Amino acid sequence: MSDNRPKKGPEREISDPRLRKQELEVAPLLRTTQIVIWLGLGLLLLALAWWGIGRRLTWAPVIIGGLGVLGVAFWLALNLPALRRAAGTRSAKMVLNSVGFIIFVAGILVCINVIVARHHPKLDLTKGRIYTLASQTRDFLKGLPADVELVAFLPQGDVYSANARELVKLYSAASPRVRVTWADYTNVTLAKKYDVKYPGTVVVQAGDKQEKITEVTEQHLTSAIMSVTTEEKLAVYFLTNHGEASISGGDNGISQIKNDLANQQYEVKELELAKMQEPAVPEDCSVLAIIGAQIHPAPQEMAAIEKYLENHGKLLIALAAPPAPDFASLLSSRGVTPLAGIVIDPQSSFMGDATAPMVAPEASGSPVLEGVDQLVLPICRALEVAGGTPPPTMPGQPPPQGPATALVSSSAASWLQPNLSAGTKEPENAQKGPFAMAASIDESPPPPPQMPGQPPAQVPETDATRIVVLGSSTALNDNLVRLFRFNANVALNSIAWLSRNTRMVSIPPKTEEMHQLLLTNTQKNFIIFVVMFFIPLAVIIAGTLVWWTRRR
Amino acid sequence: MRATLTIALKEFRGYFIAPMAYVVVLFFLGVSGLIFVLTMAMPQAATNHYRGVMQSMVFITLMMAPVLTMSLLALERGRGTLELLMTRPVSDWSIVLGKYLAAVMIYTGLLIVTLLYPLLMSVGGEVEWGTILSGYVGMFCAGLAFMGIGLFGSAITADQIAAALSAFFILLFFWIMGFVAQSVPSGLGDVLNHLSFIEGYLEFAKGVIDLKNVVYFLSLAGFFVFLAERVVESRRSV
C-alpha cells in the first residue's frame, strides 16, 4: 500500500524548478545557521565555565558570551518564520501552555523560597542552644544605637568560614540595623579598600568607625559592634614594676586577657607608679589591675592606690602565692583578709593536682560569675571574708549584701598549707576549709528594703569603691586561660562589673557537649543482634512468606 | 481525596506483594544498621555521633528512592494500564498523589523502624532527643523531595530502569550542587548552596530546624509531583 500523504519537512518534493533552485541556493546557508546555533551555545557554555572557574567576570568571558548570544540571535532571526509556523500548531500551543504553567509554578516556588530565606525563623533544638545568640548579644542588638555594616570576607568551602557565615547571618536576622555585605576576598580592590590581609576576616563598621576581626566568634563580633557604636573607651591600667604578670605575654604573662579587653574596646595601659615623681593613679583610670605582684609596692605607691580607692576607685587584684605581698593593708579594712597559706583541696582539683582547686561558683547571682561554670585556681591564697554569712532579713526580701562577699570557696575537705615547700601533705594542726578563694567588695549603699505591696524603690546608681580579689594570679596566665576559658571570663566580667560597663560582659563560647557512649559487652552484643540480625531477618521472613503464599 | 487514599493504599499493598520492596527495605535497614553498629563500636564513641548515621541514612535514601518509586507510573505505562486507569472517574492529581503517598508511607515506616537505633543507644549514654528530632524531621523532608523526584522519573518513561536512572541523575545533580558551589563566585555559590541537598540537610543534622530548609525540601517535592502530574496530563491530551 502506497503512502499518498504529502511528505513533510526536508523530504517534501518541490515541483516548481524555480523554488527548487532557490532551495538549493539557501541550503548551504541553512547548514551554516545550524553550525552557528551550536557554536553560539558552545560559546555561551564556555563563557559560563570561564566565569565559574575564574570566579571573576573579566572581559574574556564577556566577549565570548557576547559572541555566543550573537550566534543564537542570528539563528533565531533566520529561523523566525519557521518558528512562528511551528508555534501556530495545536500541539505546540499545548506544549507552550504547559511550559508556561510550569514556569509560573516554578516562579511562585522560587519567590516563596527567596522570601523565606530572607526571614527564616529557626528552631534550635540543641541542648545548650549552641546555634542561638546569647541573651547578652540579643539584648544589645535590640537597643543598637546606630546602623552597623558587617563586611564579611568569608570564602566558601571551609568549615570555619561556614560557621562564621552562619554566625554573621544570625546577627543580621536579630536586628534590622545590622546589614551584611558578602565580600570576595580575591577581589583585590575590595580587600585593599578595607585593608583586609587574611580571608576569614569580618569588617565591622558604623559611620566612620571600623573594627576588623579575624576570629569570628560571638564574643568578638559583639565586642566589635559595641566598639564601633560606643563613643568612649574605658581605660584599664595594669600596675607594673613589682614582678606582676606582663600584659605583653611571656612566662606567666596575661596577654590573652589583655587582647580580650582590647577586643571589648577597653584601652589597656601599663601603670608605672614607681617611676612617677608624685605617684598617683591617672584620672581616666576606670579600673586598676594588680595581677601577681611579687614584691611590695613602695609606701608612696600604696598611698596612691589607697587614695584612688578612697575616691571610689575600682581595683582588680589577683594575689601571688606567699611570700608575695598580700595587700592586707588595702583589703582587710574592707572586709577581706588574705590568710597566710595556700589552699590544698584533694576533693576537687584540676587533673588531680591538689594545689589547683577546681571549683563551681556558688549561686551568688554576682555578675562577676555570669556564664562561669567552673574555675581553676592554682596555688591559691585563702581569703577570710568578713560578714560572709548574710545578716537576717525581712521575710520575703532578698538578703542585703555586705560590702564583702565570697564568690567561690574550696570544699570542706580542703586545708590551709602554710608552706608550699611542704608539698600537699596535710599538717597535723592544719586549718580546715572551706575557704573563700575569690571575693568582691562593693561599698555602694544597699538599696532600701522593699515594703510589702510596694514596688521596689528606684535608687540612683552611686559611685563607690569596688574591688574584686582573686586568691590566685596563676589562674589568669595565658597557658591556663587557653585551656580554661572560664578563668578569663571571670577577669573580663570583673572588669565589666568594676567599671560598671555592664554591656561588656564576656560571652562564653558555646560548644557542643559530648555524651560518651558507655556500653557493656552484653549491651553491645544485644544491640548488634537486634540491628544486624533480628530486623533484617524479620524483613526476609516476611518477604519469603508473601512469596510462598502467592506461589501457592 | 478518597480516590487518592484508595490508590495510595492499593499501591502500598502492592509494594509488599512484589519482592523489590523487600530488597529495598532490606538494603536500607541493612546498610544504615551496619553504619550505626560501626559508629557505636568506634573508640571514644559518643551518642552525638548518631548525627553522622542520620547523614548516611539521607544518602542511602537518595540511592533507594529511585528504586522505590521507579515502578509507580512507569510500570503502568509499560503495561498499558495507565490509560485504563485514566478512563476511571479519578483525576490525574488523585493518581499521582496516591502513588506518591504510597512511597512516602513506606519511607516513613522505615524511618520509624530506625528510631529504634537511638532508643537502643540511650542505654549507654545521654541522647540529645532535640537533635535527633531535628535530624528525623530533616530526613522526612528530604525523603519527600527524593520521592517526588523519583515519581517524576517514573512518569517520564515506560521503562523502569530508565525511570530509576533518570531520577537518580536528578537527585545526584542536586546532591553535588553543594560541591559545585565551592568553586563558583560568592553570589552564585550562595544560590547553588541553597539548592544543594547536603546544605539543606546539614542544618537539621546539627539540631536546627530552619524554616528555609523545610520550605526548600517541600517546594522541591511539590514541584516534581506537579511535573509528574503534568506528564500524566499530557498523555491524556495526546
Side-chain angles (χ1 to χ4, degrees):
Chain A
M1 204 170 110
S2 65
D3 190 358
N4 295 327
R5 283 178 298 177
K7 285 182 180 171
K8 290 178 184 174
E11 294 171 27
R12 185 184 48 175
E13 280 180 17
I14 300 166
S15 50
D16 190 337
R18 285 170 301 171
L19 284 176
R20 192 181 294 167
K21 190 184 171 199
Q22 197 180 340
E23 181 157 300
L24 283 172
E25 280 169 0
V26 296
L29 184 65
L30 285 173
R31 274 200 297 277
T32 312
T33 61
Q34 295 295 329
I35 296 167
V36 166
I37 178 73
W38 288 115
L39 197 66
L41 289 173
L43 287 173
L44 271 176
L45 271 177
L46 181 68
L48 279 174
W50 193 314
W51 176 40
I53 293 164
R55 295 186 180 199
R56 204 172 304 151
L57 199 59
T58 53
W59 281 110
V62 169
I63 291 167
I64 294 171
L67 286 173
V69 170
L70 275 177
V72 174
F74 178 65
W75 182 85
L76 283 174
L78 280 182
N79 291 278
L80 206 57
L83 284 171
R84 270 200 193 133
R85 272 199 308 277
T89 60
R90 181 178 165 267
S91 62
K93 276 180 184 167
M94 275 178 63
V95 169
L96 284 176
N97 195 20
S98 206
V99 168
F101 191 26
I102 289 168
I103 291 171
F104 174 69
V105 171
I108 289 175
L109 290 176
V110 168
C111 287
I112 292 172
N113 274 272
V114 168
I115 292 166
V116 174
R118 284 189 181 168
H119 314 278
H120 51 108
K122 284 184 177 185
L123 185 60
D124 184 355
L125 294 177
T126 55
K127 197 180 173 191
R129 302 282 176 273
I130 55 175
Y131 300 107
T132 307
L133 291 176
S135 58
Q136 294 103 309
T137 302
R138 276 182 282 138
D139 292 344
F140 170 66
L141 290 177
K142 267 182 204 164
L144 202 58
D147 288 340
V148 176
E149 187 183 10
L150 306 179
V151 186
F153 289 86
L154 299 168
Q156 302 262 3
D158 66 286
V159 178
Y160 164 76
S161 290
N163 291 338
R165 287 172 84 92
E166 288 305 311
L167 185 64
V168 167
K169 283 179 196 168
L170 287 179
Y171 278 77
S172 66
S175 169
R177 302 200 77 167
V178 178
R179 197 163 62 86
V180 180
T181 305
W182 301 107
D184 185 1
Y185 175 70
T186 54
N187 186 336
V188 182
T189 320
L190 211 55
K192 269 188 182 166
K193 182 185 168 190
Y194 291 101
D195 190 26
V196 170
K197 294 185 175 68
Y198 310 102
T201 303
V202 173
V203 181
V204 182
Q205 60 177 19
D208 56 350
K209 285 179 140 187
Q210 196 184 83
E211 285 278 332
K212 277 190 282 288
I213 51 169
T214 48
E215 194 186 338
V216 188
T217 61
E218 188 179 348
Q219 175 163 324
H220 289 105
L221 211 45
T222 305
S223 302
I225 296 175
M226 281 176 176
S227 151
V228 296
T229 53
T230 310
E231 287 303 317
E232 58 168 347
K233 283 196 171 190
L234 299 171
V236 179
Y237 281 85
F238 281 80
L239 190 68
T240 59
N241 284 333
H242 313 94
E244 289 92 345
S246 167
I247 57 171
S248 313
D251 287 345
N252 294 321
I254 50 167
S255 62
Q256 189 75 37
I257 286 173
K258 181 232 167 184
N259 292 340
D260 288 342
L261 285 172
N263 270 327
Q264 294 195 351
Q265 307 317 312
Y266 288 97
E267 204 171 347
V268 183
K269 299 175 180 177
E270 289 190 332
L271 179 62
E272 296 181 292
L273 285 176
K275 289 186 180 172
M276 290 181 180
Q277 293 235 320
E278 284 181 34
V281 177
E283 278 187 6
D284 69 333
C285 176
S286 294
V287 178
L288 173 64
I290 306 174
I291 312 294
Q294 300 293 331
I295 54 170
H296 211 285
Q300 309 92 294
E301 293 177 78
M302 287 302 286
I305 297 168
E306 181 59 53
K307 191 180 170 194
Y308 166 71
L309 287 178
E310 278 170 7
N311 289 328
H312 304 154
K314 314 290 183 290
L315 175 67
L316 168 65
I317 184 161
L319 302 171
D326 59 5
F327 292 89
S329 60
L330 291 177
L331 303 174
S332 296
S333 60
R334 292 181 169 88
V336 176
T337 309
L339 301 177
I342 64 154
V343 180
I344 302 291
D345 194 343
Q347 188 174 303
S348 174
S349 56
F350 182 55
M351 298 179 82
D353 178 3
T355 62
M358 187 157 82
V359 288
E362 291 144 21
S364 67
S366 167
V368 171
L369 299 172
E370 195 170 312
V372 176
D373 293 345
Q374 276 186 323
L375 265 178
V376 177
L377 297 161
I379 320 170
C380 183
R381 275 181 186 268
L383 307 171
E384 193 176 79
V385 180
T389 314
T393 57
M394 288 176 70
Q397 300 300 312
Q401 295 288 309
T405 314
L407 295 174
V408 287
S409 302
S410 61
S411 76
S414 63
W415 71 84
L416 192 67
Q417 192 78 315
N419 187 1
L420 192 58
S421 58
T424 55
K425 194 180 171 196
E426 186 176 358
E428 276 182 14
N429 53 351
Q431 193 179 336
K432 297 290 286 184
F435 300 103
M437 295 191 291
S440 65
I441 300 166
D442 186 0
E443 293 184 348
S444 311
Q450 185 187 344
M451 300 310 289
Q454 297 293 316
Q458 294 292 316
V459 184
E461 200 171 83
T462 52
D463 201 10
T465 306
R466 279 181 171 183
I467 301 174
V468 173
V469 190
L470 294 177
S472 163
S473 61
T474 317
L476 304 183
N477 80 32
D478 288 343
N479 293 334
L480 196 64
V481 161
R482 281 189 196 111
L483 262 177
F484 225 75
R485 183 69 205 165
F486 289 132
N487 282 21
N489 289 347
V490 166
L492 300 175
N493 284 349
S494 298
I495 288 172
W497 177 69
L498 290 168
S499 62
R500 296 183 189 270
N501 187 9
T502 49
R503 289 192 314 177
M504 288 197 184
V505 288
S506 63
I507 300 163
K510 289 177 182 173
T511 46
E512 191 185 6
E513 192 184 333
M514 294 303 278
H515 305 293
Q516 213 64 33
L517 189 62
L518 300 166
L519 292 165
T520 62
N521 276 341
T522 317
Q523 288 170 333
K524 219 175 251 183
N525 291 338
F526 174 73
I527 291 174
I528 291 171
F529 172 76
V530 171
V531 174
M532 292 310 300
F533 296 100
F534 179 74
I535 296 175
L537 204 66
V539 176
I540 292 169
I541 290 172
T544 315
L545 275 177
V546 170
W547 171 75
W548 185 258
T549 316
R550 285 179 62 79
R551 188 170 165 263
R552 288 172 69 188
Chain B
M1 187 65 193
R2 177 172 284 194
T4 307
L5 283 177
T6 310
I7 292 170
L9 287 173
K10 180 193 154 285
E11 281 296 325
F12 186 69
R13 278 196 298 269
Y15 266 123
F16 292 99
I17 292 168
M20 184 53 87
Y22 292 97
V23 174
V24 171
V25 169
L26 200 63
F27 169 74
F28 182 86
L29 293 176
V31 178
S32 56
L34 183 68
I35 293 168
F36 169 64
V37 166
L38 290 175
T39 308
M40 218 178 52
M42 278 191 325
Q44 301 293 313
T47 57
N48 312 53
H49 294 151
Y50 190 67
R51 178 183 303 165
V53 180
M54 292 194 290
Q55 284 176 23
S56 309
M57 277 200 261
V58 175
F59 187 68
I60 300 165
T61 308
L62 183 132
M63 292 193 284
M64 177 196 77
V67 183
L68 199 65
T69 52
M70 65 183 187
S71 62
L72 288 175
L73 290 163
L75 188 67
E76 300 264 18
R77 274 181 70 176
R79 286 178 181 164
T81 48
L82 189 60
E83 283 75 9
L84 199 65
L85 194 59
M86 285 172 168
T87 59
R88 299 289 176 96
V90 285
S91 66
D92 297 340
W93 273 110
S94 295
I95 297 168
V96 170
L97 278 180
K99 288 176 179 289
Y100 177 66
L101 272 182
V104 170
M105 277 154 73
I106 293 272
Y107 178 61
T108 312
L110 283 177
L111 285 187
I112 291 170
V113 173
T114 60
L115 272 174
L116 197 65
Y117 301 164
L119 268 175
L120 288 168
M121 204 169 59
S122 64
V123 175
E126 189 190 337
V127 173
E128 279 194 28
W129 288 105
T131 312
I132 303 279
L133 173 71
S134 163
Y136 271 81
V137 168
M139 278 199 276
F140 180 70
C141 290
L144 289 182
F146 295 177
M147 299 301 156
I149 291 171
L151 182 75
F152 171 68
S154 179
I156 55 175
T157 171
D159 182 59
Q160 289 190 56
I161 303 297
L165 280 176
S166 338
F168 183 70
F169 284 125
I170 297 172
L171 287 168
L172 209 60
F173 170 76
F174 279 101
W175 187 267
I176 60 167
M177 205 86 91
F179 302 110
V180 178
Q182 291 169 16
S183 52
V184 293
S186 189
L188 182 63
D190 282 345
V191 175
L192 292 182
N193 254 336
H194 184 74
L195 287 174
S196 157
F197 284 153
I198 305 173
E199 288 298 318
Y201 182 71
L202 276 181
E203 286 272 295
F204 288 108
K206 276 182 351 189
V208 179
I209 299 179
D210 190 334
L211 188 64
K212 174 186 78 176
N213 297 321
V214 175
V215 168
Y216 163 65
F217 280 123
L218 293 187
S219 19
L220 212 58
F223 184 64
F224 278 98
V225 172
F226 165 72
L227 284 184
E229 189 275 339
R230 289 278 87 198
V231 175
V232 172
E233 200 266 349
S234 72
R235 289 195 62 78
R236 193 189 282 274
S237 318
V238 169

